[in-house]
Amino acid sequence: GGAVLTAEWFVSHAWKYLFLDVVSALSRHFEGSDPVVWFDILSVSQHETNVERPYEWWNSAFLNAVGLMGRVVMVLDSWSDPLTLRRAWCIFEVFACESTCS
């Protein structure tokens, strides 16, 4: 135990979702498997105001990270009008996935 592994899945979700709801959705999606996921809420703060990153950083470092993972799972709160697809950051994540063929 305690090993650090390379993420195989990028988790896209709206930060307004309740944390336990996201974890529950992921548990159901990955039932029966033991994936290594990159859950951004644990590594990148979208609300940290003292760190300014230019668009170029997001367009290179972030896209490269998503591309290296190769797989994406998007958590939706509803099928007909998901909050995830109304959030600018989540739409950027969709762009990152499409751009890197993840």
Side-chain angles (χ1 to χ4, degrees), residues 66-79:
V66 171
L68 288 172
M69 286 176 250
R71 296 179 177 171
V72 178
V73 58
M74 179 177 271
V75 179
L76 306 174
D77 60 345
S78 73
W79 182 253

Side-chain angles (χ1 to χ4, degrees), residues 40-59:
D40 66 348
I41 199 166
L42 302 174
S43 57
V44 177
S45 176
Q46 295 175 10
H47 305 292
E48 193 172 305
T49 57
N50 62 346
V51 176
E52 289 291 325
R53 291 189 173 101
Y55 173 76
E56 292 76 20
W57 184 88
W58 292 107
N59 202 33

